[in-house]
Amino acid sequence: MVRPILYIHGVAAVGGAERDLLAILRTLARLDWEPHVACPSEGPLANLMVQAGVVLHPMVFPPWRKWFSPLIRWLAIKKLRTLLEQLKPALIHVNDIWWVPQTLEAVGGRPGFRIPVVAHVRQEIEPEKVRRYRLHELDGVIAISRHVERALIAGGVDQGTVRTIYSGVELLRSDAGMPDRTAICRSLAVPDEAVLLGTVAHLFPRKGYDVMLKALPGIIRTAPAVHYVIVGTGDGGYAQRLRALSAELGISDHVHFVGFQDDVKPFLGALSCYVHPARMEGFGIAVVEALAAGKAVVATNVGGLPEVVEEGETGLLVAPDDPGALTAAVLSLLRDD
């Protein structure tokens, strides 16, 4: 008997969490499970869900803790409760912590009531947020790294209900799947001999793009052929600040915003070095993807990133919010054939 699973995700953009959810859905045993996803109907994620053959249920989940949330979140809870009554899923999988309270309200407000609920925790989390987002009430919690698992247990999640599951990536199986670096350089309007650095992540301050921009002038002074590629969308205000910072630093010609990319492999394949300057990071799936593409990596020593990058072996780790350290680490790799 095929049983339905309902996945819940409230973001329309596509980043690491969304790519991991898509990977889960693509490899789900469809003879046993029928995947349904409740998520916003507009945006790249919904389009990719439809392409993956997933039943989409359009739904908007307002923030749980904003001042205006109590005025509007009851509508989302009511709509989700109606969907649960119609679908009767065997399991609910919440793809990040932000939608756990709404989900628990919709199923009755306590774990194990009618439908078991599990949730992914995909970012660094302070122990005090565990009860704030009712993670201790869940039937199961999936931590994205051991670092996150320890914080969950410290915050009150029962050790028996939490498990670390690292996100995986699909490896390229042959040269036929390798990206065309020349095509990427042409799309960026840079010379074929350009040295490309890049970051793949949502455009949010916690991803530390501004730190990398501050590191870039020192890199360019030593390696003038360097260009920095930013792959992702997100906070429009932050994106504007990044563009303004690039102009202020005189590096606009070396910084390229390419927005959301359905397939990031061509950009990763074109890079000489992957840089992940995050201030906070639960795991870092983009770093795994860069390593899988055979790229040199510089990342910050925060959250779950030390579980991904082995210092001095598979990459270099630097302190967060330290442009000078980023400059030195990137240059050390560019000098090392």
Side-chain angles (χ1 to χ4, degrees):
M1 181 181 67
V2 179
R3 293 180 290 173
I5 297 179
L6 179 63
Y7 296 86
I8 293 177
H9 193 76
V11 175
V14 175
E18 293 76 24
R19 292 200 302 276
D20 191 38
L21 176 59
L22 285 162
I24 292 170
L25 293 169
R26 281 194 292 264
T27 56
L28 190 69
R30 298 294 180 94
L31 294 178
D32 300 313
W33 303 101
E34 181 183 73
H36 295 251
V37 176
C39 71
S41 59
E42 302 295 329
L45 180 62
N47 295 333
L48 292 174
M49 290 293 177
V50 172
Q51 292 174 23
V54 175
V55 181
L56 190 67
H57 301 274
M59 197 165 297
V60 175
F61 297 95
W64 184 251
R65 293 184 57 81
K66 298 292 185 181
W67 66 268
F68 57 84
S69 296
L71 302 175
I72 59 175
R73 66 192 183 199
W74 66 271
L75 288 170
I77 294 169
K78 181 180 179 181
K79 188 173 181 179
L80 179 56
R81 185 177 291 129
T82 299
L83 174 61
L84 296 179
E85 291 171 352
Q86 295 171 350
L87 184 62
K88 295 181 172 58
L91 177 73
I92 298 173
H93 183 154
V94 187
N95 200 45
D96 214 334
I97 69 171
W98 318 114
W99 313 293
V100 169
Q102 294 97 317
T103 302
L104 290 177
E105 287 294 323
V107 299
R110 58 186 184 277
F113 179 72
R114 295 178 55 195
I115 307 167
V117 181
V118 301
H120 245 102
V121 181
R122 295 186 175 277
Q123 68 285 308
E124 279 196 83
I125 183 170
E126 299 88 352
E128 58 268 23
K129 283 189 177 180
V130 166
R131 294 187 179 275
R132 192 179 304 168
Y133 286 95
R134 300 174 61 176
L135 304 180
H136 63 295
E137 299 180 32
L138 293 164
D139 298 282
V141 184
I142 302 167
I144 205 71
S145 65
R146 297 292 183 192
H147 174 84
V148 170
E149 179 180 335
R150 290 191 292 270
L152 291 168
I153 293 171
V157 173
D158 186 273
Q159 190 168 356
T161 65
V162 61
R163 179 179 176 187
T164 293
I165 301 177
Y166 293 126
S167 299
V169 299
E170 184 178 4
L171 300 177
L172 294 175
R173 291 183 172 84
S174 69
D175 290 342
M178 293 302 290
D180 182 350
R181 186 182 188 279
T182 300
I184 293 296
C185 288
R186 288 175 181 169
S187 73
L188 298 172
V190 301
D192 289 352
E193 60 272 17
V195 177
L196 300 183
L197 313 178
T199 303
V200 178
H202 285 310
L203 266 64
F204 295 129
R206 65 176 178 269
K207 296 299 182 181
Y209 282 110
D210 54 298
V211 185
M212 182 56 191
L213 293 183
K214 293 173 184 176
L216 206 53
I219 297 171
I220 293 171
R221 279 194 293 271
T222 300
V226 161
H227 289 258
Y228 180 46
V229 184
I230 295 175
V231 184
T233 56
D235 184 334
Y238 183 58
Q240 291 179 355
R241 293 198 296 275
L242 293 177
R243 293 180 188 275
L245 179 60
S246 298
E248 179 185 329
L249 295 170
I251 57 173
S252 294
D253 291 344
H254 292 261
V255 179
H256 307 270
F257 295 81
V258 301
F260 165 74
Q261 297 295 320
D262 186 2
D263 185 5
V264 300
K265 291 188 184 74
F267 287 90
L268 290 175
L271 300 181
S272 298
C273 177
Y274 181 81
V275 185
H276 203 76
R279 294 181 169 95
M280 298 177 65
E281 193 65 78
F283 178 60
I285 186 66
V287 180
V288 178
E289 291 172 323
L291 290 169
K295 300 301 161 180
V297 166
V298 176
T300 44
N301 191 11
V302 298
L305 287 172
E307 299 174 50
V308 178
V309 177
E310 187 176 355
E311 166 63 25
E313 293 292 331
T314 61
L316 299 178
L317 293 170
V318 300
D321 269 310
D322 191 337
L326 270 178
T327 298
V330 168
L331 289 175
S332 73
L333 289 180
L334 295 182
R335 295 188 187 108
D336 188 338
D337 291 339

